[in-house]
Amino acid sequence: MSTFTINDAGTVETTNFGQRVNNSDSLKAGYRGPTLMEDFMMREKIMHFDHERIPERAVHARGVAAHGYFESYGDWSNLTAASFLAQEGKKTPVFTRISTVLGNKGSADTVRDDRGFATRFYTDEGNFDLVGNVIPPFFIQDAIKFPDLIHAAKMEPNTDTPQAGTAHETAYDFFAEFPETLHTVMWVLSPRGIPRSVRQVEGFGIHTFRLVTADGRAVFVKFHWKPLQGLSNLLWDEAQKISGKDSDFHRNDLYTVINRGDYPEWELGVQIVPQEDEFKFDFDLLDPTKIIPENLVPVTRLGKMVLNRNVENFFSETEQVTMHPGHIVRGIGFTDDPLLQGRLFSYLDTQLNRMSSANFMQLPINRPLNQVHNNQRDGFMQMNTYHGNVAYFPNGLQGNTPSLADPQDGGYIEYPAEVKGRKERGRPPSFFDFYSQARMYWNSLTDAERQQTVDGFRFEVGKSTSLDVRKRFVAQLNLIDNNLARRVAYGVGVPLPEKVVENDGKVAEGISIEKYPKPDNIRTRKVAILTAPGTNREEAQAMYDYLSAQGAYVDYIGIHQGEQDGLNIAVSYVTTSSVLYDAVYIPGGAEGVKMLTEPNPLFPMDEPKLFITDAYRHCKPIAASSEGEELFKAAVAGLPGVMETAEDGVILGSSGADLQQGFKDAILNLRFWSRLPQDGPI
């Protein structure tokens, strides 16, 4: 990208054709006279502005991206001929874009949604785009249903509402009528649908692919990205408040950690299924609405991706990147997954629509590292100048070059899969199990995660004004699990259903966020220290220094920005909120606590106490020392069953090493779901 990067600092303005100009004012017949159409500077400047936008993506319009590298853990030539996996320590440049699915380009980051996780590997054999999602199953089995899914889930056409979410009539009408969606709907309505940051998500290739060796041996694989930052989610109340406080929350988080050198990392892994085991499971490997449980086939870690560089220009890179699952390299192949087959057409078609030219792969962000040679020519915005008069094959004038590459000469390896069958519409019998993996997902959640899933359904299904839609969808949930269906039914005002199926109790590893391995450090965790004039400076500074030394991002919150009693206040109570932080510390200081406790026009909504109340309700670590305990108790006084023990993430005591260590331990745990209200018997 550096070859194409322009730095305008210290230069003189020119037109696009290179003439130096002063184009701050238009050319007129007298200062108060009419503007003259001969003003080429004005015409060019306004014309270009009028054409600065391109069509946004129909889905995945809202995204954030970064550059980095992938490093192979070993020589995997026993699995694949792909060169980027052929040598231990080999590094390949990558570009990863993470995006919401349904919202427009200007929608908020923290909506409840599936999310895209697309990585381009700039390999020495060409670009490989692994275009997946943060949730492993997909809603539908056949690409022909994709327009129906998106039309139902996106804004309703008569009102163009709601933005960026499925909490509306048509979405749940479709889900109720098309039960193959239910497995993915369960994932999205669970904590997986509202991640804390895009650094703390898994990525999945969704489909079953083939890896093929140089000598033609093949295995089936599912691709996984495993975050070394761990997994974390928001509560729905928290996610909604963040959308108002910082609609760019996920973007800002990724930009910040990379700028500060805390580079996010993921391990690339595959679940490997030998060809002879294709039919050994009780689900079909070609069904994209199913996963392979990790307890059946563990994930083999192939290497690590590190994102270490933010984009220079959002439009040139993040917006113009044209990911496509058909961008493939030798050693990686497709299967007959009907959704994958449709995506291989759709992505190329949609990129052509967005970029208005077949030459979009010549854009800097899309160019492969190796030189491109073929007989494709001309078209809108052709950027290359081709030598000679030959643009066809075969040819004698150019010695039959560009020549054709066979697999033994580095060419793409087509796996000779056997294809047979009648031409017919429909799907195989193995695709008709819509409930068992949705039930397995529900069974694999912890109690707190199940409660959050129920709360998600109560909000989303409850947004449907149609009693019929709510009844039909609850009836589908009842085919998954009766307890789930009754809890949702109770919250959305439909009759409680009787049990119609038994829950077989099957669970899968790798599903629960709570059970996912946590990092052994608190780097990048955001901590707020609440202050006011009269705060105990020594206590506040000591905690700040201790947590900062551990790699946490610590902010002093005060009545206004700037210096206060020797502390550098980063943000004020009215410009931030506890939903933007992972933990809260309340130092002592009688005068400071008094100011934050009593009514004050600086805090029209009682922001300091609300800061603590929300942190407690959102199950975040809270520490308080000396008089700070009084502010904590005042903030939570109206809440039922307040817990004040370290086991519940509340650290109270004198300032010092024990409080600091206890607070760090709580931050490592991140959330304390014992505080989350749970349903009783329904």
Side-chain angles (χ1 to χ4, degrees), residues 99 397 456 556:
S99 54
L397 294 175
Y556 290 122

Side-chain angles (χ1 to χ4, degrees), residues 527-532 535 537 540-541 544-545 548 554-572 581:
V527 183
I529 298 180
L530 307 189
T531 74
T535 290
R537 181 184 180 281
Q541 188 71 57
Y544 184 100
D545 293 343
S548 296
V554 190
D555 285 340
Y556 290 122
I557 318 298
I559 62 172
H560 55 67
Q561 291 157 289
E563 192 274 337
Q564 171 198 284
D565 296 343
L567 303 176
N568 182 25
I569 306 303
V571 285
S572 73
Y581 292 88

Side-chain angles (χ1 to χ4, degrees), residues 183-367:
H183 185 202
T184 307
V185 170
M186 288 291 296
W187 282 75
V188 175
L189 270 292
S190 78
R192 292 272 186 163
I194 39 176
R196 164 64 176 77
S197 85
V198 296
R199 298 178 292 114
Q200 295 170 299
V201 297
E202 291 180 276
F204 302 92
I206 302 172
H207 312 286
T208 298
F209 290 83
R210 275 191 178 92
L211 294 184
V212 185
T213 63
D215 58 2
R217 292 177 291 110
V219 292
F220 294 112
V221 296
K222 291 268 196 179
F223 286 105
H224 293 247
W225 289 109
K226 297 291 187 182
L228 299 185
Q229 302 75 233
L231 296 175
S232 181
N233 66 280
L234 300 169
L235 288 172
W236 182 229
D237 177 71
E238 191 181 7
Q240 293 176 91
K241 290 175 177 176
I242 292 174
S243 292
K245 298 290 185 179
D246 182 4
S247 60
D248 303 302
F249 183 68
H250 286 162
R251 290 186 182 193
N252 289 333
D253 174 79
L254 184 64
Y255 295 151
T256 298
V257 297
I258 292 177
N259 284 336
R260 295 179 68 156
D262 289 312
Y263 305 136
E265 301 176 344
W266 286 262
E267 289 183 311
L268 176 66
V270 288
Q271 290 175 291
I272 303 167
V273 178
Q275 297 251 99
E276 59 269 22
D277 290 344
E278 179 178 1
F279 301 106
K280 73 175 289 185
F281 305 104
D282 60 0
F283 53 89
D284 197 317
L285 286 181
L286 300 184
D287 181 352
T289 69
K290 304 297 189 296
I291 66 170
I292 305 176
E294 292 185 29
N295 44 298
L296 297 183
V297 180
V299 176
T300 299
R301 315 283 173 117
L302 303 180
K304 182 172 71 174
M305 175 174 70
V306 179
L307 298 183
N308 61 3
R309 180 165 63 89
N310 284 318
V311 298
E312 290 283 345
N313 182 273
F314 183 90
F315 180 84
S316 298
E317 299 168 76
T318 308
E319 191 65 13
Q320 289 197 129
V321 69
T322 55
M323 300 284 194
H324 173 32
H327 293 159
I328 206 83
V329 293
R330 69 191 309 265
I332 302 173
F334 308 118
T335 64
D336 293 333
D337 173 341
L339 179 63
L340 173 59
Q341 293 294 320
R343 291 180 75 202
L344 293 174
F345 162 76
S346 180
Y347 275 69
L348 191 61
D349 192 48
T350 194
Q351 303 299 8
L352 181 62
N353 175 63
R354 292 183 61 242
M355 310 312 295
S356 299
S357 169
N359 293 315
F360 58 78
M361 289 305 295
Q362 296 178 15
L363 292 168
I365 192 63
N366 294 323
R367 285 176 179 257

Side-chain angles (χ1 to χ4, degrees), residues 15 17 19-27 37-47:
T15 64
F17 54 88
Q19 173 61 53
R20 289 189 174 194
V21 293
N22 177 351
N23 64 359
S24 184
D25 297 291
S26 56
L27 184 66
M37 285 307 296
E38 72 176 63
D39 187 355
F40 65 91
M41 304 179 199
M42 178 193 71
R43 291 202 314 272
E44 181 193 78
K45 190 174 182 179
I46 292 179
M47 175 278 295

